[in-house]
Amino acid sequence: MKKFVMAVLGGTVAGALLTTQIAGPIIAQEANKEASVYEQLDLFGDIFERIRAQYVEQVDAGELVEAAINGMLTSLDPHSSYLPPADFDDMQEQTRGEFGGLGIEVTQEEGFVKVVSPIDGTPAAEAGIQSGDFITHVNGESLLGLTLDESVEMMRGPVGSEIVITIGREGTAEPFDVTLVRDTIKLTAVRGRVEGKTVVLRITTFNDQTYPNLEEQLNAKVEEAGGIEKINGFVLDLRNNPGGLLSQAIMVSDAFLDAGEIVSTRGRDTDDSERFNAEPGDLAQGKPVVVLINGGSASASEIVAGALQDHRRAIVVGTKSFGKGSVQTVIPLRGDGAMRLTTSRYYTPSGRSIQALGVAPDIVVQQPAPLPEATEEEEKASAAAQARSEADLRGAISNDSMTEDEKRLLEEEQTKAEEAAKLRVEDYQMAYAIDILKGLSAIAPAQ
């Protein structure tokens, strides 16, 4: 019994020694870290006061603090930033679908301001600004070394005022200037049209109006085409769509899915992870869908493309998307400002993270560069050559196997095919997407 007690006491002493040797240093390390943080904050205070007292010009204390906060956030990643009250108001206006500016979605890449995409119907789009362009100067002043928010601030101004931006473009030897007039940007989130038997839905952004616009345009264009039975499918055009609200991306994806996961988000803490699933109901009523994407398709656009691709609900056509696979949470702060903080990554239903990788299309289709304009004589000669046929030859044998009505129907089909072919010159990627749906409808009876 005495030996047993001694053994227990020996174990207790050993445990106490072990605790002292391992836990003690850990606690000390944590205490040192806390002390180091407070020392750094004291250092910040010293620098702040030294700048206020000795800088060559008088500085605004509030602006210094804002700059320090923004510097801390922008050091994390290109999408985290501080939003002063005016910028926070602008951001809220954008999500509501109306704001003032040039109509360019931008990001920062290695210190340069890069265009993610111009927004349809805005001064930037009308001036020919392209996805992938770099903005190097604003009104002759270099943007190099500025934060993204500072660069954007230089591009803002009163509606109707003129601005000159300098563009660097791949394949162009020298940067060139583009003069723009700032305007009130009113976003029509979804525009629809009918091309033959295909309904095309162009989604330009994901704001509060996107899903209501989508539903309205889809139903209106189906009715215009004569009903769902007259439609061979839908094209969702997400090219140069810079993204927007996660909630709207989920609703747009859900519009074409009956069940299954749409997207999941995963933060640093597993408790912050979320999964979003589709509910029954397909606006397209099972009709085939083609999604068009390119390098200007980012964020919410990639959620939609990835969800429909993973569920094999749509064929994705075009070029690789931008690759913004992170989620920013806007956190209001005291003083009417806010903090935009990257809080999680999002994943497609198959578990893919597209961060910095993008969504790869099922069928890669490049948009060819415009051909040089032909002279009027060349166009006439080409049209005349294409118009010649067997029927134009002297003494050609007539076709007696078709009735007049059958010939008329054939001519109508040929006219429709020729009109569709014209689209290849205007928008090759769109024409390709529509051709896919034509092909699917052609083999449907055999299936």
Side-chain angles (χ1 to χ4, degrees):
M1 183 66 182
K2 186 175 180 182
K3 289 181 181 179
F4 176 73
V5 171
M6 289 298 293
V8 170
L9 288 172
T12 303
V13 171
L17 287 172
L18 189 65
T19 302
T20 303
Q21 290 171 358
I22 296 175
I26 291 173
I27 293 169
Q29 286 174 13
E30 291 299 322
N32 288 338
K33 285 181 181 177
E34 288 295 320
S36 176
V37 169
Y38 286 111
E39 285 173 6
Q40 294 292 320
L41 289 174
D42 286 341
L43 175 62
F44 171 80
D46 291 343
I47 293 171
F48 177 76
E49 290 301 333
R50 186 62 63 90
I51 291 171
R52 290 181 67 192
Q54 297 183 359
Y55 186 66
V56 64
E57 295 177 358
Q58 191 168 355
V59 293
D60 184 283
E63 290 180 1
L64 279 179
V65 172
E66 278 191 10
I69 294 170
N70 200 45
M72 178 168 54
L73 287 163
T74 55
S75 70
L76 301 173
D77 65 81
H79 307 294
S80 295
S81 63
Y82 173 66
L83 298 171
D87 293 351
F88 186 31
D89 289 342
D90 288 344
M91 190 213 70
Q92 290 174 306
E93 286 178 6
Q94 290 183 35
T95 58
R96 287 193 294 268
E98 183 175 332
F99 58 96
L102 302 177
I104 314 174
E105 177 75 14
V106 294
T107 187
Q108 199 160 38
E109 188 173 290
E110 297 179 359
F112 295 96
V113 176
K114 183 178 182 180
V115 176
V116 175
S117 63
I119 300 168
D120 287 357
T122 63
E126 290 170 3
I129 304 300
Q130 298 178 9
S131 173
D133 284 350
F134 285 93
I135 302 174
T136 63
H137 295 72
V138 171
N139 291 331
E141 293 186 39
S142 174
L143 300 184
L144 189 61
L146 300 182
T147 66
L148 185 60
D149 284 343
E150 288 170 339
S151 299
V152 170
E153 189 61 35
M154 287 183 68
M155 288 185 270
R156 289 192 176 123
V159 171
S161 60
E162 196 172 87
I163 178 175
V164 178
I165 60 175
T166 304
I167 298 292
R169 179 174 295 168
E170 188 176 352
T172 303
E174 296 291 335
F176 56 93
D177 290 341
V178 179
T179 301
L180 302 167
V181 176
R182 297 180 179 95
D183 197 3
T184 299
I185 310 300
K186 294 182 180 179
L187 296 181
T188 302
V190 183
R191 294 184 178 92
R193 70 179 194 269
V194 179
E195 291 281 354
K197 294 183 178 180
T198 302
V199 171
V200 176
L201 298 164
R202 165 73 179 142
I203 304 177
T204 58
T205 187
F206 287 85
N207 60 30
D208 286 339
Q209 305 304 313
T210 301
Y211 179 77
N213 284 177
L214 174 73
E215 187 175 24
E216 177 187 350
Q217 287 291 308
L218 187 149
N219 291 333
K221 297 308 171 184
V222 167
E223 184 179 347
E224 180 183 320
I228 194 70
E229 65 280 357
K230 301 289 186 181
I231 297 295
N232 64 12
F234 296 84
V235 175
L236 287 186
D237 187 357
L238 298 176
R239 291 174 298 175
N240 295 327
N241 183 321
L245 299 176
L246 173 64
S247 59
Q248 291 292 315
I250 292 166
M251 293 173 74
V252 169
S253 303
D254 195 1
F256 300 95
L257 295 171
D258 273 320
E261 182 182 312
I262 294 171
V263 67
S264 61
T265 61
R266 304 176 202 170
R268 185 171 67 180
D269 190 337
T270 54
D271 292 338
D272 293 334
S273 300
E274 289 188 274
R275 191 182 303 273
F276 301 92
N277 296 312
E279 297 179 358
D282 178 2
L283 290 182
Q285 299 183 40
K287 292 286 184 176
V289 178
V290 173
V291 175
L292 276 177
I293 61 171
N294 65 5
S297 306
S299 189
S301 300
E302 296 172 294
I303 290 175
V304 174
L308 298 185
Q309 183 183 56
D310 280 2
H311 283 287
R312 299 189 177 183
R313 180 65 186 89
I315 300 169
V316 179
V317 172
T319 55
K320 190 179 74 169
S321 63
F322 186 75
K324 181 183 176 295
S326 60
V327 180
Q328 284 69 48
T329 301
V330 177
I331 305 166
L333 303 171
R334 53 187 167 183
D336 297 327
M339 173 172 61
R340 182 167 51 205
L341 185 66
T342 299
T343 53
S344 59
R345 291 182 174 89
Y346 66 73
Y347 296 79
T348 69
S350 64
R352 290 181 297 160
S353 169
I354 63 162
Q355 175 61 28
L357 295 176
V359 173
D362 299 307
I363 303 173
V364 175
V365 179
Q366 299 284 349
Q367 187 81 302
L371 295 171
E373 291 187 10
T375 64
E376 189 175 344
E377 291 75 14
E378 289 172 335
E379 287 179 354
K380 286 180 179 178
S382 176
Q386 292 174 14
R388 295 190 194 104
S389 68
E390 170 73 13
D392 296 321
L393 299 178
R394 184 179 299 172
I397 301 170
S398 63
N399 187 326
D400 59 0
S401 66
M402 298 180 71
T403 66
E404 290 301 317
D405 285 343
E406 287 173 335
K407 288 181 182 178
R408 180 177 53 79
L409 288 172
L410 178 61
E411 288 172 358
E412 288 177 1
E413 288 297 321
Q414 288 175 336
T415 301
K416 288 179 182 177
E418 288 167 4
E419 289 175 355
K422 290 178 184 176
L423 186 60
R424 294 192 190 106
V425 178
E426 299 169 8
D427 189 342
Y428 184 79
Q429 290 175 324
M430 178 62 71
Y432 197 103
I434 292 170
D435 285 344
I436 288 174
L437 294 174
K438 283 182 183 175
L440 289 173
S441 65
I443 64 172
Q447 291 177 334

